[in-house]
Amino acid sequence: APALAQGTKLKVGALRFTSHSPSFIALERGYFAEAGLDVELEFFQAAQPMAVAIASGDVDYAMTAISGGLVNLADKGAIKVIGGALSEEPGIDGQKILASDAAFQEGVTAPGALDGRRFGMTTAGSSFHYMGSKMAKAEGIDMTFVPLQKVPAIIGALKTGQIDAWSIVPHIAKPVASGPEVHMIGSVVDYLPDYQVTTIFTSTENAGDRALTEGYLGAVTRGISDYNSAMIDRAGGEAGVDAMVDLIHKYVYTDRERERAAPSIINGTMRINEGATLNVASVRDQLEWFQSEGLVDAGISLDQLIDGSFVETVGS
Amino acid sequence: MDLRIEGLTHRYGETEVLSGIDLDIPSGRIVCIVGPSGCGKSTLLRMIGGLERPSAGAVVQVGPPPEGSLNPLTYVFQDFALLPWRSVAGNVSLALEDHRLVDRAGRIADVLARTRLSDFAHALPRQLSGGMKQRVAIARALAVDPAVMLMDEPLSALDAQTRELLMDDLVGLWERERFTAVYVTHNLAEAVRLGHRVVVLSRRPGRIREIVEIDAELSGRGAMEDVQAHLWGLMRDEARAADAELVDG
Amino acid sequence: MDLRIEGLTHRYGETEVLSGIDLDIPSGRIVCIVGPSGCGKSTLLRMIGGLERPSAGAVVQVGPPPEGSLNPLTYVFQDFALLPWRSVAGNVSLALEDHRLVDRAGRIADVLARTRLSDFAHALPRQLSGGMKQRVAIARALAVDPAVMLMDEPLSALDAQTRELLMDDLVGLWERERFTAVYVTHNLAEAVRLGHRVVVLSRRPGRIREIVEIDAELSGRGAMEDVQAHLWGLMRDEARAADAELVDG
Amino acid sequence: MGETGARTVQAAARVAASAGAESPHPVPFRGGGFRITGNRWAGFVVFALLIGGIEIGIRQGWIGRLTFPLPSEVLDVFRQLWVTGALWDHLLPSLSRFAVGGALGALAGIGIGTLIGLFGLVRAGLVPVVSALFPVPKIALLPLFVIWFGIGEGSKYALIALGTFTPMVVATYGAVDNVDRTLIRMGQSFGLSWWSIVRKIVLPGAMPGILSGLRIGLAIAIILLVAAEMLGATYGIGAYILEAGSLYDLERLFAGVVILSVLGVLTSSVIGWIERRVLRWRT
Amino acid sequence: MGETGARTVQAAARVAASAGAESPHPVPFRGGGFRITGNRWAGFVVFALLIGGIEIGIRQGWIGRLTFPLPSEVLDVFRQLWVTGALWDHLLPSLSRFAVGGALGALAGIGIGTLIGLFGLVRAGLVPVVSALFPVPKIALLPLFVIWFGIGEGSKYALIALGTFTPMVVATYGAVDNVDRTLIRMGQSFGLSWWSIVRKIVLPGAMPGILSGLRIGLAIAIILLVAAEMLGATYGIGAYILEAGSLYDLERLFAGVVILSVLGVLTSSVIGWIERRVLRWRT
Ligand SMILES: Nc1ncnc2c1ncn2[C@@H]1O[C@H](COP(=O)(O)OP(=O)(O)OP(=O)(O)O)[C@@H](O)[C@H]1O
Ligand SMILES: Nc1ncnc2c1ncn2[C@@H]1O[C@H](COP(=O)(O)OP(=O)(O)OP(=O)(O)O)[C@@H](O)[C@H]1O
Ligand SMILES: [Mg+2]
Ligand SMILES: [Mg+2]
């Protein structure tokens, strides 16, 4: 992107999750610098404040699941979705549906048996709410959704059998289900085969700056390619995985030794859309679901939410 | 019932407050205790009433308390010690509630009548002048038929005119009821008006310096300027020294 | 500088507190004001010092204040009104700090010496006995070279012995400095010891009932029992009625 | 205002004093000011100005839509809450949590606080524990509360109770300590039993302190409603606020905050009313 | 115990009084008790018992591993935090937020509180606003704070400052109201200027109340550290606690809570020390 002045300052929001690896890679391997961007990572504890930080201009680009809050901010003209990241894809280990031991003992060994039971979520309008709803609809069952604000509270409630089920990304699902208190009973991908889990988004203002956004996306897509090829296609063999784990470990599970962190990093591997392709069909489905639940204004159009002009889109 | 104080000595930590006090408190008389600030008058009175234990010596009760006395040793405090949340009648009642009595209400009404407080039975302490408050405290003390009244500067929180009125009340009361009392005061005029016997204490550690007997009838006593002057002569220098002392380092 | 009170009347809302007070306060004399509780003595004194505005009438200043007087009308309060966080010297200093003075420290030292407080210059109020505190308040008042001292029951928070000592001090001070003062008190003994003129007020609304002139020299006055008895005769019934009044509904 | 007025008067008086020192003149006035006065209307005016300013600011575009909600839309949210009856769906569960949790915490706090005030050994043993508990942020313990009390009403009651408990303990034992010792000595001098003294002297004497502790305790209870309703509540003012926050729906967020604020002001006036009735004996 | 002892003595004394009424005997003792005493050791004993009990309970399996962390492992977390230096990485940012936010809030609160105390119009205008602000849960405003102050230190300072501000205002104007009116009248009677009276009488006289308000304000500031560090903080005790919570790591969660608790107790003793120094003039 030659249009960019060298050393354009940029803040990229991230969570300390493996799914944010493309940003780490692009930074570590100098892809941002090559695009003329001087990137600083800004870490968050949760996705919701990241969306607000984009709106307030504290952060320029970030990656997170589509939530009611994000849609509302888009409605206020503050942010735009400009690309896709994590996707559910048949055949690849994706998000898991978990059940508590108590429910499991009572026969909840598959999602279809969750009729009348309690499903955990952070807040109304979160991706957990969406996944649970779609699953319930597909199974033709009714569930109560219990808002618990934070992931730890959900885990606590699940382990003690106070909620019956939950869905979550594999690198959290696997360690949680490794104990006797929680069981894995299904995969989200079975209900939402092409679910666009996370998206790349930015402020409306940045989306108007084509050179900047293209520069950013260009660098991130290189990170995505590196990640997919090393971790999923194993193009570099074990050595490639090791090198990538080393790189990611600088940002994720930093408080554990590398030996203990590596399995968790590898466990968390999910495919990220090559070229940040955006599955518009999935996004539309999510938007319509939010609207049908009354969580966002029914008048919001897809165009207010996404700017599909930067990346390849499917399903539009 | 008489009281006898025998070789009473008291210390707070290192400081000796009272030293070798011997004193008789005969029934039916008022014993006034005067002395400079901080000489241990209040401490002595607390020990007479059993609220504090002397380091050495004893306060001895001689003879039985009068029949029907609910609380032989009864205090009247300087700052009245009325419960602000109880009415006048309620405050008097407090002293009686731990006793089984056939006619508590009657007893309260009687004692309020004797102290001319009947009209104020339902008033709260905050509505009363200082003088009235102290009258309520006296009524409460009378309600338990005390053998000895222990009064710690009962008039010193009042203004001079009210003090004058209450002194008249006390003289009248004594004429009728002939109660026994230990009366602590700074005020020599009070001491010579009310005391049958005035005990002068020295500065800390309090020792008995002199005991002045006053023979005149309570009613009809004047200012007794000569006795006052004699007492003041005994105390003037010590009072001045006590006044000029720093309270702590 | 003399003061003249002319037809002074004051109301708080509906209640009339003072009614038609006419009074002269001649230079170099002590005017005592006595009267039953709540008759408006403190209110009158506040108006003399300009702390409150009368509803009607006026307090008039006749003649210039003495040369160098920093605060012609200066109060001494019943509860001393010392700043507890300042030392004795600091409390005296407070009254001088708003004035440009060449030798403030010298002036403070001088006034402390005159009231025999030099040894206590660095003590805090809490370390002082009541009598010492009131001496400090008097020193502070003297520090501004007042034309008239306005004293509102300056001794009534003290015990009887200290009161005696301070009265001697005040007499001594007046003999040396011949200050003018308006002295409010409940205590007839104080009034006859210190007053050249005793003003007796009636119950609320306060009116002047009688003005008693006392000619005897301040030093060497005795208890003057006859004058006291006369004053008490004027006031007794009203004091009793005031005492028995409920403070509010 | 009185104060500035007083200053001017004072200055004027000084001039008069120096100018007309020779001829008879009234003594200068130098009192006034430093009085505790108030004017009920000014509060309304300030609120009206604030709200009006924001409304106009947003409509004119001086204030971004993201910065503040439009006051008129907040009002509309209230209207909707009222019309649909959703107000009660949210208010009633919150009120019952507030009542039960607050009552539990306050009663336990008064009880323990009284014991600390009366018994030296209890004081020595428990005061350090309570002081250590005081600065612990209750939200940090949220995950634990799920385990300990479940995600039902239990954990909500417990969280609110814990928040009310610590300030109540501190206020109560302070109040017991502050009971006039002469009154207690008076009770002893009349030979009252220990239990009579506690019941008739110590507890009534501690009442003012306990009630002002209750003011703080219940304010904290209201603040903790939001934290408590993080734990699996679908209905409740706290849950409503949290949902609005996560949806970045400022109008509903503010509507919820206003409801809590009104609840707080109401609670405080109820306590004020109780104080005026129960503590009528105070001057 | 002093109190129960007193009771027994009293009872014994009564028996003596009725039995030996005829012969000379010492007056019965009936004082004692109701004294404010303490025993430093009992606090340690209670803590030791609590911690020891939990340790043994967990090791013996009486207490589930999910219910409490193992105290010895909490200790080990502290050791690790110390050895790796991570303690300072977390403590220093939190301390600076606490210091800056607390100082801003306290200063603003004292300033506004003093104005409310001095000027009737300010009181009338601002007291209702402050009372309305008091019961607003600060976490509810978190999303707004990001927009208003960004995700940097600004919003953290602001949140902590807001939490400290409201109690400081209330405490300060209460303290100014409580300044002895005779002292102010004394100042006026000596012709002191308005500003001298404020500086030399009102403010020093309000100091005790302001300091005890500071105690509450700073306790709230510590509690709000956790909420503040929800806003995009990587380092800080609050962030550490939140992260431990999200990993359900009870040992680290408790370690963080203990640090905040110690911080609270320390702050409170520092204020106690300041009180003893600055308020030496009090009895
Ligand atoms: N509980 C206590 N502990 C330690 N010292 C005490 C205690 N009570 C009194 N004192 C000290 O004992 C001395 C005598 O006190 P007490 O109150 O008996 O004197 P007093 O003669 O009544 O004085 P006053 O005339 O001022 O009432 C004083 O120096 C006082 O400081
Ligand atoms: N600021 C005020 N507002 C309303 N009423 C007042 C005020 N100050 C005094 N009063 C009333 O005015 C009357 C006179 O009060 P003042 O204090 O002048 O009496 P006093 O003669 O000094 O009484 P005392 O001997 O008790 O000091 C009292 O009834 C009092 O209640
Ligand atoms: Mg005494
Ligand atoms: Mg008066």
Side-chain angles (χ1 to χ4, degrees), chain B:
Chain B
M1 188 183 95
D2 298 344
L3 290 178
R4 205 165 57 222
I5 301 170
E6 296 172 344
L8 191 143
T9 292
H10 194 65
R11 270 180 211 85
Y12 284 118
E14 288 293 273
T15 39
E16 192 170 39
V17 173
L18 288 166
S19 175
I21 305 282
D22 288 294
L23 187 65
D24 271 325
I25 296 150
S27 182
R29 319 239 88 190
I30 298 179
V31 175
C32 286
I33 300 179
V34 298
S37 248
C39 74
K41 300 183 293 299
S42 300
T43 308
L44 179 58
L45 206 65
R46 280 203 297 279
M47 284 185 291
I48 296 176
L51 289 181
E52 200 150 347
R53 259 187 283 250
S55 306
V59 179
V60 178
Q61 208 169 302
V62 184
E67 196 62 34
S69 171
L70 299 177
N71 190 47
L73 302 167
T74 297
Y75 281 89
V76 174
F77 296 89
Q78 173 180 13
D79 48 3
F80 324 135
L82 299 180
L83 300 185
W85 51 87
R86 286 202 181 203
S87 67
V88 167
N91 265 288
V92 175
S93 168
L94 178 81
L96 306 174
E97 286 167 11
D98 272 17
H99 300 277
R100 249 178 256 285
L101 294 174
V102 278
D103 183 23
R104 193 194 301 152
R107 195 168 179 137
I108 296 170
D110 170 54
V111 85
L112 290 182
R114 271 153 68 204
T115 45
R116 277 170 292 135
L117 285 168
S118 304
D119 292 347
F120 300 89
H122 301 293
L124 285 174
R126 70 171 164 87
Q127 300 176 286
L128 302 178
S129 68
M132 288 317 245
K133 282 186 206 160
Q134 196 56 294
R135 283 192 188 91
V136 176
I138 292 170
R140 179 177 60 189
L142 293 176
V144 293
D145 277 336
V148 182
M149 298 246 264
L150 305 172
M151 307 174 111
D152 193 356
E153 310 193 32
L155 307 185
S156 73
L158 305 176
D159 67 59
Q161 294 166 31
T162 313
R163 201 148 52 215
E164 207 66 45
L165 295 172
L166 256 157
M167 256 191 292
D168 288 352
D169 283 11
L170 281 176
V171 168
L173 200 67
W174 188 84
E175 292 291 342
R176 288 199 309 280
E177 324 224 342
R178 302 274 158 166
F179 55 82
T180 318
V182 185
Y183 188 106
V184 166
T185 181
H186 266 116
N187 192 323
L188 303 183
E190 275 173 39
V192 301
R193 266 294 283 294
L194 294 173
H196 296 98
R197 174 179 284 186
V198 179
V199 180
V200 183
L201 293 185
S202 69
R203 282 182 71 201
R204 199 181 63 203
R207 289 175 216 271
I208 292 180
R209 222 177 128 151
E210 194 167 318
I211 298 181
V212 178
E213 301 277 346
I214 305 178
D215 283 332
E217 275 297 305
L218 281 199
S219 58
R221 277 191 194 172
M224 307 186 88
E225 277 193 67
D226 49 335
V227 185
Q228 271 198 61
H230 172 65
L231 291 172
W232 186 225
L234 286 171
M235 294 170 59
R236 177 174 217 122
D237 293 335
E238 299 207 327
R240 177 156 278 150
D243 184 43
E245 220 163 47
L246 281 188
V247 172
D248 71 51

Side-chain angles (χ1 to χ4, degrees), chain A residues 105-155:
Chain A
Q105 299 304 337
E106 288 163 28
V108 180
T109 52
L114 281 168
D115 191 29
R117 293 197 174 258
R118 297 152 69 86
F119 192 87
M121 63 178 182
T122 50
T123 57
S126 62
S127 54
F128 305 107
H129 194 185
Y130 171 71
M131 286 186 277
S133 279
K134 297 302 276 192
M135 185 270 281
K137 194 163 170 227
E139 292 283 358
I141 57 173
D142 233 4
M143 295 193 299
T144 312
F145 290 90
V146 183
L148 291 162
Q149 307 309 320
K150 288 199 253 153
V151 169
I154 303 176
I155 296 174

Side-chain angles (χ1 to χ4, degrees), chain A residues 9-21:
Chain A
K9 294 237 185 263
L10 211 58
K11 281 198 170 173
V12 172
L15 303 177
R16 292 187 180 273
F17 284 169
T18 48
S19 54
H20 288 252
S21 296

